Amino acid sequence: SRGAGAAGCSFIAFPPPGATAGGCRAARRRGATARGPRSLRVARASGAVRDHELTGLLMGILLAGTATVACLVSNAILLLQRDRSGLSAAACRELDWARAVEELLRFESPVPFVPRVAQTDVEMSGCPIKPGDTIMLLLGSANSDEHAFDGADSVDFDREANRHYAFGGGIHRCLGSHLARLELRVSLREWHRR
């Protein structure tokens, strides 16, 4: 994160395994009625998903549509307030809000990093990574890569190709990315209109 986290939203911390959600799972194992998607219950029962992975998944589902969008909107407004030239440019012309949203997502990603578990042996820059090792993927860093983005350390609402990783990528891409974009676009339009 580049510091807009001053709005109080630079990252989301998940509770440790066995916290409140763990207590709920334990109660269910003792006989409480099983609820939730059947596929998660089957995955948990078969051992394909460990307790801490299930806790992370459920917390992610709970928080993904609320905390990250709130952080995204507040960070975008803070960034526009700090960068008066960007705000002036927005006021002087009809801004392409869809393009502006993509640039704001790239510049100040709502989730700066995501954990992943290595599946195979690999070595990166001389560092060995073994199966089962947890790796932190720095989405914010990828979004400020000078090899991928010209002028990566500045906001450019006219940026043409903006293939950022604010919502991850591949099979791990955020399912709510379209809704988050819409919420940000509507929020910024309304804020700007007033």
Side-chain angles (χ1 to χ4, degrees), residues 79-164:
L79 180 68
L80 287 170
Q81 283 292 104
R82 284 182 180 166
D83 179 13
R84 291 296 182 177
S85 62
L87 191 58
S88 296
C92 292
R93 62 184 165 93
E94 184 58 34
L95 188 63
D96 179 346
W97 285 106
R99 189 177 282 183
V101 161
E102 294 307 313
E103 180 63 0
L104 290 166
L105 285 166
R106 182 200 67 81
F107 191 77
E108 192 65 59
S109 299
V111 179
F113 59 87
V114 292
R116 293 290 180 254
V117 177
Q119 301 298 307
T120 60
D121 281 313
V122 66
E123 186 174 308
M124 295 187 75
S125 300
C127 180
I129 300 171
K130 302 290 181 201
D133 287 352
T134 299
I135 307 163
M136 298 304 283
L137 303 178
L138 304 176
L139 303 179
S141 180
N143 288 338
S144 59
D145 183 353
E146 288 287 342
H147 297 290
F149 302 99
D150 290 332
D153 286 332
S154 63
V155 175
D156 179 2
F157 291 134
D158 295 319
R159 191 178 298 278
E160 291 287 332
N162 200 340
R163 297 182 50 120
H164 60 74

Side-chain angles (χ1 to χ4, degrees), residues 15-25 55:
T20 306
C24 292
R25 285 193 313 277
T55 298

Side-chain angles (χ1 to χ4, degrees), residues 14 22 31 49 59 78 83 98 107 121 124 137 173-174 185:
F14 293 107
V49 176
M59 292 301 292
L78 182 62
D83 179 13
F107 191 77
D121 281 313
M124 295 187 75
L137 303 178
R173 188 171 180 279
C174 173
R185 191 167 55 245

